[in-house]
Amino acid sequence: MIERVRSLLTPWRVLLAVLLVTAAVIVTFRFAFGLGSVTNLSDETPWGIWVGFDILAGIGLAAGGFIMAAAVYVFGLERYRPLLRMSILTALIGYLLFITGLILEIGRPWNIWRCIVDHNFHSPLFEIAWCVMLYTTVLLLEFSQVVLERFGWHRLEALLHKILVPLVIVGVLLSTLHQSTLGTLFTIVPHKLHPLWYSPILPVHFFISCLAAGLAMICFEGFLSWRFLKHPPRLDLLPNLARVMALILVIYFVFRIEDLALRHALPHAFAIGLPAFLFWLENLLFVVVPVVIVFRTARRMTTRSLFAASFCAVIGFIMHRFNVAVTGMQLIHETGYFPTWQELVISMSLIALGFIAAGLAVWFFPIASAGGGDASAGRNGAYRLPWRPRAASEPAEPGTGGSR
Amino acid sequence: MSPRAKALLIDITRCIGCGACSAACKTANDLPHEVEPQLTADTWTVVLERGGERWVRDLCRHCLQPSCVSVCPVGALVKREDGAVVYNKDICLGCRYCMIGCPFRIPKFEWHSAAPRIRKCILCAPRLEKGLPTACAEACPTEATVFGDRDTLVAIARARLDADPERYHPQVYGLTEAGGTSVLFLSPLPFEELDFDTTVASFPLPDLTWRLLLHVPNVVMLGAGFLGASYWLYRRREQVALEEEGETSGSAPRTGGDHD
Ligand code: SF4
Ligand code: SF4
């Protein structure tokens, strides 16, 4: 027995447990004594890392779910079906974590349902609230396909298939709306946000960049599931996604520069100082490095170049969202905000929860098996759990998923 | 703007910095603590010394088209007929978008409360209902703050500028800022020298977001059309491919599609 317990206590698991317990304590404090007791937020800086990172960046990075669903179901790019389930799973986990983060972030979470009955159509946040609510439902339904398949509830599965395409289309529309509206949030503060990030058409920036970020995230997940789950990365598919990502990034960058030029804000990018530094660092990571890597290794993209490019893009994207929500405002009105360690622990815990959820889901549901990858990888892979639900011992139906 | 809209005119040349307004505000609104040196959740108006021997009040401007009201997802902030922008804690989510959205950085938050509220000047809405002026205007010993209909106050402000151009910087702050506010300022100095934010746009800021949100129906319709057409094309392509295959191999055509 003791042996068994000891074998479970790998350093990573201990670290994870410590992280999550700390997070639980912080959450308790937050609800008992208010946001001010664990964050550096203030009347001067009402939104911090939880909004910039957990919410804005988190939702953007989860864009892969609607992109892949559209690619496979609407545009008929059957080839990419093997990536579909993983993308939908990560999007679903992303949105659930986002909702968790939101409940911690807003001051009066018990009123969250008010969005349903109290409408303010003038508020971008109202639109986002509705879209996120509905889109999370769509994601749950899209993912329920895997659950139904897992438990062999074929009647329901057949029913779901009937509505799947309309469902996917609704999901794409909802995503388009709220991904862009996250940018609209900031269009109402022209004089409070630095001109290098403010734009009256911020929603367009947000939408184009979320497409690139979603694709980057799928590539990066390929790396993660290779490292942690020992699934071989789909080198037949991912490089194409990286190429599309690079193309979108080029379009995004041209658009961004053009927008700055039209608003006579371009000189800010060349004035030596913190704003220009942040601007170029962000675009170096988000656009320049990934694009250069992808184009230089165009013909023979290796695992390494693929993941270097996607990782840079993910970091650069997070930086963009953070610059809009927090740093860009600080550049106009310095308040000296820096997240507390508690804020960082909460953000890290959300990521950790995401990993745990993804690991459990991959292990329990036929996710990697779609499209005829190695069907058994999920269950026999490196990610082993100390316990095993009874149903999981049944073999998965072979050849589920991929219709080619 | 409703003809009944009330407003405040604050004449900085008349203010002696006695703080009677902020003290009266505390009493009228039952706010705890002493008057703090800046706006906080419990201090809704302050008098600050700026530009040397000049006294400037800070408070919610009760914008004619308030950003805070426009951005609040649930309508917890409301602009009333009488000009006051008031708050309802019972539906507020505590998202603090109003704090981000307000061009004058007015709404404050109870950071150390388990049930935090947004706090700011409410133009003494309960007093207005009784036909009383705001507590601050009533308390002011020098008529540096006067209360009245906005139209009347704008006329008074203009008359003062005309009568004594030496004494004033020729601008009424609040006439056009953020599309017009219900708190108007007259100053002896250019407003930026008194730390007023002169970069605030001179049109109603909610226009910026509304203009974009108006595209939502277009995005939905165009998007649905585009996606629907793409799907139809994809099915059509598949069908054609299958039919051709059927002709060459002689087997009956079957419908393709997603059977994942
Ligand atoms: S000053 Fe700010 S808080 Fe007051 S009404 Fe205007 S937008 Fe709202
Ligand atoms: S914090 Fe409350 S009042 Fe302010 S925008 Fe959010 S819901 Fe509205």
Side-chain angles (χ1 to χ4, degrees), chain B residues 130-197:
Chain B
K130 294 189 207 128
L132 296 169
T134 63
C136 55
E138 194 177 74
C140 181
T142 62
E143 295 201 331
T145 297
V146 289
F147 172 85
D149 292 337
R150 187 173 188 269
D151 300 335
T152 323
L153 292 184
V154 170
I156 293 177
R158 289 228 170 90
R160 285 188 197 169
L161 289 185
D162 287 344
D164 205 345
E166 296 288 286
R167 187 182 167 103
Y168 294 105
H169 172 69
Q171 181 192 355
V172 184
Y173 189 95
L175 199 59
T176 57
E177 276 69 19
T181 65
S182 306
V183 178
L184 306 163
F185 290 90
L186 286 176
S187 159
L189 297 172
F191 281 94
E192 55 272 23
E193 287 175 31
L194 297 178
D195 282 355
F196 277 79
D197 193 340

Side-chain angles (χ1 to χ4, degrees), chain A residues 34 36 42-43 46-47 73-75 81 105 107-108 111 118 120 123 127 145 161 185 187 189 191-192 401 403, chain B residues 69-72 89-90 92-97 99-100 102-103 109 111 113 116 197 208-209 213 216 230 259-260:
Chain A
S42 65
D43 288 333
W47 283 357
Y73 289 116
V74 180
F75 298 104
R81 194 179 282 271
E105 212 283 334
R108 307 173 69 84
N111 278 345
D118 292 297
N120 178 9
S123 169
E127 193 219 293
Q145 199 187 355
H161 282 172
L185 283 180
T187 55
V189 289
H191 67 292
K192 287 169 83 178
S403 56
Chain B
V69 170
S70 158
V71 300
C72 177
K89 73 172 188 333
D90 293 329
C92 169
L93 311 177
C95 67
R96 313 187 296 287
Y97 188 20
M99 304 176 76
I100 293 284
C102 170
F109 189 69
W111 293 100
S113 159
D197 193 340
L208 289 168
T209 41
L213 289 173
V216 166
S230 306
H259 40 86
D260 179 12

